[in-house]
Amino acid sequence: MIDVTLATYEQDILEASMTQPVLVDFWAAWCGPCKAIAPVLDELAGTYQGKVRIAKMDVDANQAIPAQFGIRSIPTLILFKGGQSVATISG
């Protein structure tokens, strides 16, 4: 699993999703449900290595990108494919 920041967003998510889907977990350290799904996402990252990239972005440290997608609750998972968001799950 990779940590994405504002500085690496374009390369780690948009450009990377041109070759393989990228699932991004928008989370925060204080979020209990975010901590609960973290082990599942770690397992998925290993299981689907080479097929889907699993990434996470701290919404407190990187506020501009979550705001761009209208994220109002966390955890929110967004699947990117071909540089576009194609699916979203919140809560």
Side-chain angles (χ1 to χ4, degrees):
M1 188 172 327
I2 59 171
D3 287 310
V4 179
T5 65
L6 292 174
T8 64
Y9 166 75
E10 189 169 320
Q11 179 182 1
D12 288 342
I13 297 175
L14 299 182
E15 291 175 13
S17 72
M18 299 303 272
T19 56
Q20 76 180 185
V22 180
L23 179 65
V24 183
D25 173 26
F26 291 90
W27 71 285
W30 49 264
C31 171
C34 298
K35 291 178 185 179
I37 68 165
V40 175
L41 292 174
D42 285 335
E43 185 177 331
L44 288 173
T47 302
Y48 291 101
Q49 186 174 4
K51 297 177 184 175
V52 176
R53 291 183 85 179
I54 309 290
K56 62 182 183 173
M57 177 178 272
D58 184 339
V59 297
D60 289 334
N62 305 284
Q63 296 179 5
I65 301 301
Q68 176 183 338
F69 289 101
I71 294 172
R72 298 194 187 277
S73 66
I74 53 174
T76 292
L77 302 172
I78 299 179
L79 181 65
F80 290 85
K81 188 173 181 182
Q84 301 291 319
S85 64
V86 295
T88 302
I89 298 173
S90 293

